[in-house]
Amino acid sequence: MASSRDQFSSRFGFVMAAAGSAVGLGNIWGFPTQAASNGGAAFVLVYLVLAFILAYPILMAELVIGRHGQANNVASLRKIATGPFSANSGTFTAYYGLITASLILSFYAIVGGWMASYLLASITDLIGADGATQWMTEFGETRNLLFTVLFMGLTATIVSRGVADGIEKWSNRLMPMLLGLLVLMIIYVLTLPGADAGLRAFLIPDFSRALEPELIVSAMGQAFFSLSLGVGTMMIYGSYISEQENLPVTGGIVTCVDISIAVLAGFLIMPAMYAAQHNGVQIFDDGGALIAGDTLIFNVLPPLFESLGPAGPIVALVFFLLMTIAALTSSISMLEVPVAFAVERHNLKRGRAATLIAGVIGLVSAVIVFNFGELFGRVVAFTTEFSQPLLGLFLCLFAGWVWHRDGVLQAMKKGAPNLEHGLFWKIWPAYVKFLCPLFILLIFLA
Ligand code: TRP
């Protein structure tokens, strides 16, 4: 079984897949406005520091546990257990992560579906099919359900092809495209009148704001979500990395790509918002804060695109293509968690497992679609604000306390023979053991 296990075929492939998981809607619609309303460049700086001292160590813990296990997350966590209690805790943590990943996918697919519907709407807009355009840009249960199913179908199609031929191949295609589209959009948006005010709002540092405790806490949450931590996504991707690979370096690249795309997204979103304001669109809510999240994507940007004349539908098309790609490379990483488990544990064929599990998660999405007001926000909060940090805490306890330090070192040294003499090994063990758990407890207290 172990010898026939699917693997990423190259470092580039792994970095694209893991960065594809990390770079998602969180980067593009979360980070820029958070930065702008929280001290601009000062927040970016705080975020950068936190990403490296909190998120990166946990990412490393997940990657090394996964690569050592060479199996699904339940087996990987049990493998480092030292007795019945830690083995059972491993099983519990892996299942909890699997369920959380599935629940995150159940709402993420709804949002991904919105991106896909706006993408199609920009095409129907170009060919003048106004009825269709209007239907696809109006919030409705039928539209939401239809596009959720479409998005889930795309996700399952890629995952069913496997790691190298599905996840890696598509990440290799989609991630460079995402970067290209992003840069293209930035160049265009910076030429719009009013855009420079957005740059200023994003970049001028206000250090007094950035050091407020609530801000640090929200930056931590953002870093956690953005690097897809806790639920076992990175652990299962880690299990597909070759033993020749230097984990601290590879993980560092993934962290840097994720941060860079978030900062780049700021160069797009902030100028776009201020250009929209220049054209008479309201960009601050009644409380005086910058509009963020879905309202930003669907109420601030579309009027901006509309005001651009003939270029409008094309700019909209590029933007929503970008968003759809960002969402898709993230959603495949969520689906891989339960699929890998079902394939190994229950001997299901990958294609069948992907279809079946995507179907079940799709049903959960349908329940959310039909009870949107009551359920959507609750599922988001339960999974991302509560479960993710809690799971991150468990993983630190596993990597720092359960797994013997020497075992970790041996596992980490594969592909990095000089590890124990470097800076990484001087710092990291103490981080996952003491500092990261402490940080996470702080998030909870807040
Ligand atoms: N990191 C992605 C984003 O920024 C979302 C994501 C992918 C994720 N996989 C995850 C979030 C696993 C939490 C857990 O949008």
Side-chain angles (χ1 to χ4, degrees), residues 21-22 24-27 104 108 225-226 228 231 233 330 333-334 388:
S21 167
L25 303 172
N27 299 55
I104 293 180
Y108 209 81
F225 184 80
S226 190
S228 316
V231 303
T233 306
S330 295
S333 75
M334 299 168 196
Q388 256 192 302

Side-chain angles (χ1 to χ4, degrees), residues 195-238:
D196 49 331
L199 272 189
R200 249 175 275 132
F202 181 49
L203 289 179
I204 291 183
D206 175 357
F207 286 99
S208 65
R209 300 284 321 276
L211 293 176
E212 287 168 11
E214 310 90 81
L215 269 178
I216 298 184
V217 167
S218 77
M220 283 201 260
Q222 170 76 21
F224 237 86
F225 184 80
S226 190
L227 273 170
S228 316
L229 296 178
V231 303
T233 306
M234 291 301 183
M235 195 186 299
I236 194 71
Y237 274 20

Side-chain angles (χ1 to χ4, degrees), residues 44-311:
V44 177
L45 212 72
V46 172
Y47 180 77
L48 237 140
V49 171
L50 283 175
F52 273 100
I53 63 170
L54 173 75
Y56 171 70
I58 301 178
L59 172 67
M60 289 315 303
E62 285 204 36
L63 290 181
V64 74
I65 293 175
R67 190 176 68 172
H68 178 68
Q70 291 291 306
N72 64 80
N73 297 343
V74 176
S76 290
L77 281 171
R78 288 187 73 95
K79 188 171 174 181
I80 56 175
T82 47
F85 178 74
S86 55
N88 290 336
S89 313
T91 306
F92 171 79
T93 305
Y95 275 113
Y96 185 13
L98 188 153
I99 290 168
T100 306
S102 307
L103 279 176
I104 293 180
L105 179 56
S106 75
F107 75 76
Y108 209 81
I110 299 176
V111 182
W114 293 340
M115 301 302 157
S117 77
Y118 270 78
L119 172 61
L120 270 190
S122 65
I123 297 173
T124 53
D125 190 23
L126 269 173
I127 58 178
D130 293 341
T133 310
Q134 197 186 355
W135 185 76
M136 284 188 285
T137 51
E138 248 167 39
F139 193 93
E141 285 175 353
T142 324
R143 179 208 69 165
N144 285 355
L145 190 63
L146 203 78
F147 281 94
T148 303
V149 171
L150 175 82
F151 186 84
M152 199 68 99
L154 280 176
T155 306
T157 308
I158 297 179
V159 170
S160 68
R161 304 256 154 94
V163 177
D165 292 335
I167 295 175
E168 179 178 355
K169 193 190 227 170
W170 279 96
S171 303
N172 279 348
R173 289 176 181 161
L174 293 175
M175 289 307 287
M177 201 160 137
L178 179 140
L179 184 65
L181 294 176
L182 184 59
V183 171
L184 220 94
M185 282 290 292
I186 292 172
I187 295 173
Y188 175 77
V189 165
L190 285 180
T191 65
L192 296 176
D196 49 331
L199 272 189
R200 249 175 275 132
F202 181 49
L203 289 179
I204 291 183
D206 175 357
F207 286 99
S208 65
R209 300 284 321 276
L211 293 176
E212 287 168 11
E214 310 90 81
L215 269 178
I216 298 184
V217 167
S218 77
M220 283 201 260
Q222 170 76 21
F224 237 86
F225 184 80
S226 190
L227 273 170
S228 316
L229 296 178
V231 303
T233 306
M234 291 301 183
M235 195 186 299
I236 194 71
Y237 274 20
S239 78
Y240 304 128
I241 304 182
S242 114
E243 307 221 308
Q244 270 88 54
E245 210 53 81
N246 183 323
L247 285 185
V249 170
T250 319
I253 300 177
V254 172
T255 309
C256 289
V257 173
D258 184 54
I259 294 173
S260 314
I261 300 266
V263 173
L264 266 184
F267 283 90
L268 166 64
I269 297 293
M270 292 310 298
M273 287 185 91
Y274 279 80
Q277 186 185 43
H278 184 87
N279 291 354
V281 182
Q282 191 188 342
I283 65 168
F284 291 95
D285 63 21
D286 297 335
L290 265 179
I291 291 178
D294 54 342
T295 325
L296 158 69
I297 305 291
F298 304 119
N299 298 347
V300 173
L301 297 182
L304 167 70
F305 300 148
E306 241 159 69
S307 70
L308 300 176

Side-chain angles (χ1 to χ4, degrees), residues 1 4 6 72 98 159-162 240 335-360:
M1 182 82 206
S4 64
D6 212 348
N72 64 80
L98 188 153
V159 170
S160 68
R161 304 256 154 94
Y240 304 128
L335 185 58
E336 179 60 20
V337 177
V339 167
F341 177 72
V343 168
E344 283 182 14
R345 199 55 178 260
H346 300 292
N347 275 321
L348 276 182
K349 285 233 161 36
R350 184 170 257 278
R352 180 164 304 170
T355 314
L356 211 75
I357 294 172
V360 173

